[in-house]
Amino acid sequence: MLEVHLKPADYKSDVEPTWCSGCGDFGVVAALTRAYSELGLKPENIVSVSGIGCSSRLPLFVKNYSVHSLHGRAIPVAVGIKLARPDLTVIVETGDGDLFSIGAGHNPHAARRNIDITVICMDNQVYGLTKNQVSPTSREGLYGSLTPYGSIDRPVNPIATMLSYGATFVAQTYAGNLKHMTEVIKQAIQHKGFSFVNVISPCPTFNKVDTFQYYKGKVKDINEQGHDPSDYRKALELAFHDLDHYHDPNAPVPIGVFYKAELETYEDRMQSVKRRYKQVEDVQELIDMCKPKAL
Ligand SMILES: Cc1ncc(C[n+]2csc(CCOP(=O)(O)OP(=O)(O)O)c2C)c(N)n1
Ligand code: SF4
């Protein structure tokens, strides 16, 4: 049931984006506001949380509650909000540097605990805000302001990483395909549990290799090709092919929902602990409860 009937434009704030013209992140605002509108979400029931980066400015441009937090710290802030107010839709809007570099210690635990938040990573394979340093998802050889001989690091594979951490919804989409992005973001928001969406969102200013031109024609929808998102092993296999195009110019770039599973969320499990909770009469009883014991 829709909470409200609003147009995508009604979810845009009156702050004009400061992004460079042609930045992929404009497409993400368009998809996100469409998704809100199609899901009929009330703006006051949504909280956007970001870290620091060009992508992390996104919450300024949408009309909902938002926290523009510290570099790499969006996930813990979002988790705190969700645990305090499970009724709200909590969305992390982040970049590949923010999420997989300085913030990388937080992803595994939010994912394995299946905390019911949605993480949207705008992956431009570079640090944009700080003007062209290589990021964890940059391809080998990419030139940056601190790597005049090209990056000598092997890139992180966001999809395989989040699958192995135990995220219960893992998808990839592309900023050049508004329809696909909207559909995937909608599914991610509706998913009960930790959802991760990697958006290939080119930075035309600093990344002159991984451009819209480069991805156009390479992205292939794995669900249209028959991939069943309940198949975890197949999802991992497809994820391992995600970066093949770095070495093979003919390799496709898979987009779509890789994996989706309905499992108990952290919030559900907290409720079950609360049901087992009993008043303890003295401290010794509590100490005894915490002693090592068999399951
Ligand atoms: C503690 C700390 N370290 C470093 C920085 C500098 N810094 C700001 S944004 C950023 C990288 C952002 O990269 P990404 O998340 O990929 O965002 P983009 O700008 O590419 O969208 C860095 C290193 C900072 N703001 N705070
Ligand atoms: S520097 Fe790149 S990521 Fe940042 S706003 Fe410009 S195009 Fe977008």
Side-chain angles (χ1 to χ4, degrees):
M1 244 263 291
L2 303 186
E3 288 176 353
V4 73
H5 291 278
L6 292 172
K7 293 197 253 328
D10 298 326
Y11 292 94
K12 289 196 180 144
S13 76
D14 43 20
V15 180
E16 272 303 305
T18 46
W19 292 321
C20 315
S21 117
C23 177
D25 298 350
F26 282 103
V28 182
V29 175
L32 193 64
T33 52
R34 270 195 187 203
Y36 288 172
S37 163
E38 289 176 22
L39 293 173
L41 300 177
K42 276 189 181 164
E44 61 267 37
N45 290 343
I46 311 169
V47 190
S48 289
V49 188
S50 69
I52 300 295
C54 294
S55 39
S56 289
R57 286 191 170 147
L58 192 148
L60 299 169
F61 315 132
V62 286
K63 202 189 278 172
N64 52 225
Y65 285 103
S66 55
V67 182
H68 190 188
S69 75
L70 299 175
H71 195 24
R73 304 296 172 243
I75 287 196
V77 173
V79 167
I81 294 168
K82 188 68 193 180
L83 295 186
R85 288 289 306 272
D87 56 310
L88 300 178
T89 297
V90 180
I91 306 186
V92 169
E93 287 130 11
T94 179
D96 43 293
D98 197 57
L99 190 69
F100 289 109
S101 193
I102 193 169
H106 301 295
N107 306 340
H109 310 293
R112 74 189 174 89
R113 289 177 175 141
N114 201 24
I115 295 178
D116 185 16
I117 58 174
T118 295
V119 177
I120 299 175
C121 176
M122 284 155 265
D123 184 2
N124 56 12
Q125 297 144 274
V126 74
Y127 288 177
L129 188 73
T130 45
K131 300 188 187 295
N132 196 28
Q133 294 78 39
V134 295
S135 91
T137 60
S138 294
R139 61 168 70 222
E140 283 177 68
L142 191 78
Y143 293 105
S145 65
L146 301 174
T147 46
Y149 297 96
S151 172
I152 55 170
D153 300 332
R154 282 202 304 262
V156 160
N157 179 327
I159 304 295
T161 302
M162 298 312 292
L163 280 171
S164 64
Y165 287 157
T168 52
F169 181 101
V170 178
Q172 178 153 267
T173 183
Y174 167 52
N177 186 337
L178 182 59
K179 193 163 171 270
H180 191 270
M181 242 190 318
T182 307
E183 192 46 44
V184 166
I185 291 175
K186 266 170 67 182
Q187 287 190 45
I189 293 175
Q190 284 176 305
H191 176 70
K192 199 163 182 304
F194 186 94
S195 49
F196 172 72
V197 180
N198 200 57
V199 185
I200 300 164
S201 181
C203 165
T205 303
F206 293 120
N207 189 334
K208 302 294 183 189
V209 182
D210 306 288
T211 57
F212 281 108
Q213 186 64 23
Y214 174 82
Y215 280 108
K216 200 172 146 210
K218 267 194 165 43
V219 289
K220 293 278 176 305
D221 189 327
I222 53 174
N223 306 119
E224 273 177 9
Q225 292 173 342
H227 172 59
D228 168 9
S230 67
D231 187 341
Y232 181 74
R233 281 172 190 271
K234 185 72 191 167
L236 262 182
E237 191 189 316
L238 284 169
F240 285 127
H241 291 295
D242 184 28
L243 307 184
D244 285 356
H245 66 101
Y246 286 160
H247 306 289
D248 172 3
N250 298 318
V253 176
I255 57 169
V257 180
F258 282 69
Y259 182 61
K260 180 173 162 58
E262 303 294 334
L263 296 177
E264 257 192 331
T265 64
Y266 187 80
E267 299 88 305
D268 296 334
R269 274 174 281 146
M270 281 289 285
Q271 289 308 320
S272 89
V273 170
K274 281 184 185 160
R275 281 194 293 276
R276 282 157 53 213
Y277 172 82
K278 59 178 174 119
Q279 187 80 35
V280 215
E281 296 307 330
D282 62 64
V283 176
Q284 190 53 48
E285 199 183 342
L286 186 62
I287 293 171
D288 289 344
M289 280 170 71
C290 296
K291 280 188 176 154
K293 51 182 171 281
L295 291 178

